[in-house]
């Protein structure tokens, strides 16, 4: 089996030599395409051939299409590092990426092909990812089984969202809340590993020796448990005061974690700084979510977009840019385009969160947010797309 994987990697075109390549490119492209289709639909310029309304399609494709692709790219790249096993490459990777693409097309055309087939293809991708990840992790007896479990829960959330869109659930947002909860928890879990590690490494290179970030300890475990409990309460009891209290506590815990990682000392390196900025949206989103339950003065939409347009999109771009450079043997340095796309996604998230809070300027802020956020992913495709298709430096085509 290992020999076969080596032959596949050697024979494959560069674009299929690592999971990050097709899925980072596809995820960014779909983020931009889905946003554009959503905006044209809002303007009445197009009518989506989907079996659900445009807003439901938009939510689903951003969470399960766009974010789902990037999660796949990250895991298929990280798992070989975790386990020491060779990555999925060549034809198997191409087929798996094609399954993701088929799911996107099927959901978009679900009014024509039927909701059942669309749901099957869509959910099959996440189940397949859990199967691939689970096989690798279990074969290596690796500690990351909980990550595989979260991917399975994300597949369940997708299935629940399809059931809701088909009118078979009394709570139409159950799957959406579960997906947001799972992805937020993944950010807290994975971010809690990579952010202090990358920060510590960078600070040590600068000659820093004191008050360096450390890896997860009991405090981090308590914060993760509190956040998981709060998000679970939000999934099942979205308007309970108990849920609000749990979310506020989780927000404080995650803010404390972030403060311990010494982000303010990384201002000179945007590749590290953006990880801290992206993670900062997590405690802010949890705070807004808790407050939105207690008072109508804070719309839940602001909280949701702090977690989605803010935390998810920022962390995704932070990881995609760094991983693309690192795994293609390029210098870990943010050039002008990279700095600009970081700025655009941050401003885009800020304006999207502010829009429902500033009713008088809602439309202007929404339009600005779409342009800023979409511009960030367009710049990623322009700057990093050629790298994703090119061989690793020093590697033959």
């Amino acid at each position: 089996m290992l020999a076969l994987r080596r032959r596949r990697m050697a024979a494959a075109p560069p674009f299929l030599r690592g999971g990050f390549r097709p899925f980072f490119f596809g995820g960014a492209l779909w983020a931009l395409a889905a946003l554009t289709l959503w905006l044209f639909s809002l303007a009445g310029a197009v009518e989506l051939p989907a079996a659900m309304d445009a807003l439901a399609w938009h939510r689903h494709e951003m969470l399960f299409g766009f974010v789902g692709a990037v999660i796949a790219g990250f895991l298929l790249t990280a798992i070989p590092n975790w386990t020491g096993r060779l990555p999925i490459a060549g034809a198997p990777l191409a087929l798996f990426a094609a399954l993701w693409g088929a799911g996107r097309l099927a959901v978009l055309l679900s009014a024509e092909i039927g909701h059942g087939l669309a749901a099957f293809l869509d959910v099959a991708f996440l189940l397949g990812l859990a199967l691939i990840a689970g096989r690798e992790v279990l074969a290596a007896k690796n500690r990351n089984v909980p990550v595989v479990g979260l991917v399975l829960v994300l597949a369940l959330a997708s299935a629940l969202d399809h059931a809701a869109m088909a009118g078979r659930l009394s709570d139409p947002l159950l799957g959406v809340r579960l997906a947001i909860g799972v992805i937020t928890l993944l950010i807290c879990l994975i971010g809690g590993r990579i952010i202090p590690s990358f920060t510590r490494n960078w600070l040590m290179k600068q000659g820093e020796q004191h008050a360096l970030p450390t890896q997860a300890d009991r405090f981090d475990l308590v914060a993760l448990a509190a956040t998981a409990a709060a998000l679970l309460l939000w999934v099942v009891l979205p308007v309970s005061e108990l849920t609000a209290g749990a979310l506020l506590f989780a927000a404080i815990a995650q803010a404390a974690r972030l403060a311990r990682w010494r982000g303010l000392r990384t201002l000179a390196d945007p590749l590290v700084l953006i990880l801290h900025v992206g993670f900062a949206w997590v405690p802010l989103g949890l705070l807004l979510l808790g407050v939105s339950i207690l008072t109508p003065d804070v719309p839940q939409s602001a909280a949701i977009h702090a977690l989605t347009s803010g935390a998810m999109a920022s962390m995704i771009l932070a990881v995609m840019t760094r991983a693309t450079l690192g795994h293609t043997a390029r210098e870990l340095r943010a050039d002008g385009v990279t700095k600009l796309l970081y700025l655009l996604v941050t401003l885009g998230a800020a304006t999207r969160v502010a829009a429902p809070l500033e009713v008088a300027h809602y439309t202007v802020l929404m339009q600005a947010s779409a342009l800023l956020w979409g511009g960030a992913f367009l710049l990623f495709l322009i700057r990093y797309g050629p790298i994703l298709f090119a061989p690793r430096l020093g590697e033959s085509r």
Side-chain angles (χ1 to χ4, degrees):
M1 180 65 74
L2 291 178
L4 178 60
R5 285 196 186 182
R6 288 193 180 95
R7 289 197 297 271
R8 283 173 176 165
M9 285 192 66
F15 190 61
L16 295 176
R17 291 180 189 171
F20 70 97
R21 293 175 179 267
F23 285 111
F24 285 1
F25 183 82
L29 184 63
W30 188 238
L32 189 58
L35 176 64
T36 302
L37 284 172
W38 161 241
L39 292 175
F40 277 124
S41 175
L42 280 181
V46 298
E47 185 175 346
L48 300 180
M52 66 286 297
D53 65 74
L55 177 58
W57 177 84
H58 168 71
R59 284 192 302 247
H60 187 90
E61 287 308 299
M62 284 296 162
L63 289 170
F64 302 104
F66 157 51
V67 179
V70 178
I71 289 174
F74 173 80
L75 288 181
L76 294 178
T77 305
I79 285 175
N81 293 331
W82 295 344
T83 64
R85 293 166 61 84
L86 288 174
I88 306 299
L93 178 58
L95 289 173
F96 192 50
L99 176 60
W100 172 80
R104 309 288 51 83
L105 189 61
V107 175
L108 180 61
L109 301 176
S110 53
E112 305 295 330
I113 68 172
H115 203 142
L117 178 58
F120 173 79
L121 290 171
D122 189 25
V123 177
F125 168 71
L126 288 171
L127 288 176
L129 177 60
L131 179 64
I132 293 170
R135 180 191 67 186
E136 299 297 300
V137 167
L138 291 174
K141 298 181 180 179
N142 186 262
R143 63 171 180 162
N144 285 289
V145 174
V147 175
V148 179
L150 288 175
V151 176
L152 279 173
V153 177
L154 188 61
L156 172 62
S158 180
L160 289 172
D161 196 38
H162 278 288
M165 291 186 291
R168 295 177 182 173
L169 281 184
S170 58
D171 184 347
L173 296 178
L174 178 62
V176 171
R177 291 198 304 274
L178 183 57
I180 292 172
V182 168
I183 298 168
T184 301
L185 197 58
L186 275 170
I187 290 173
C188 292
L189 178 63
I190 302 299
R193 296 178 186 175
I194 66 174
I195 297 174
S197 176
F198 292 159
T199 303
R200 180 184 179 88
N201 292 343
W202 184 81
L203 289 173
M204 290 181 68
K205 286 181 180 179
Q206 311 312 306
E208 296 274 0
Q209 298 293 331
H210 305 290
L212 297 173
T214 59
Q215 281 299 328
D217 56 20
R218 289 183 180 178
F219 178 82
D220 294 87
L221 294 177
V222 171
L224 283 171
T227 303
L231 290 169
L232 180 59
L233 280 171
W234 179 60
V235 171
V236 297
L237 299 171
V239 295
S240 167
E241 291 186 358
L242 174 63
T243 300
L247 287 166
L248 295 176
F249 180 81
I252 294 170
Q254 293 299 337
R257 286 182 86 202
L258 180 62
R260 299 172 76 200
W261 297 336
R262 310 292 192 269
L264 291 177
R265 294 162 65 186
T266 67
L267 295 176
D269 188 351
L271 279 179
V272 180
L273 178 63
I274 187 60
L275 290 166
H276 294 266
V277 173
F279 194 92
W281 287 104
V282 172
L284 178 59
L286 294 172
L287 173 67
L288 291 173
L289 197 55
V291 173
S292 72
I293 296 173
L294 300 175
T295 173
D297 294 335
V298 176
Q300 190 174 96
S301 173
I304 295 298
H305 285 94
L307 294 173
T308 53
S309 298
M312 293 179 198
S314 299
M315 289 296 291
I316 280 171
L317 281 172
V319 169
M320 290 199 306
T321 49
R322 186 183 188 94
T324 299
L325 293 172
H327 286 281
T328 59
R330 286 162 172 83
E331 182 184 1
L332 287 176
R333 182 182 65 84
D335 62 8
V337 175
T338 304
K339 294 174 185 176
L340 180 57
L341 70 86
Y342 290 162
L343 177 63
L344 290 181
V345 74
T346 302
L347 292 176
T351 52
R352 184 61 186 87
V353 170
L357 298 171
E358 186 63 46
V359 178
H361 302 96
Y362 178 80
T363 301
V364 173
L365 289 173
M366 287 287 287
Q367 293 171 342
S369 174
L371 289 173
L372 291 164
W373 198 89
F377 284 92
L378 178 60
L379 285 179
F380 175 84
L381 290 169
I382 292 171
R383 176 67 181 88
Y384 289 87
I387 298 175
L388 293 170
F389 279 88
R392 178 183 171 91
L393 291 184
E395 183 180 67
S396 66
R397 291 181 181 274

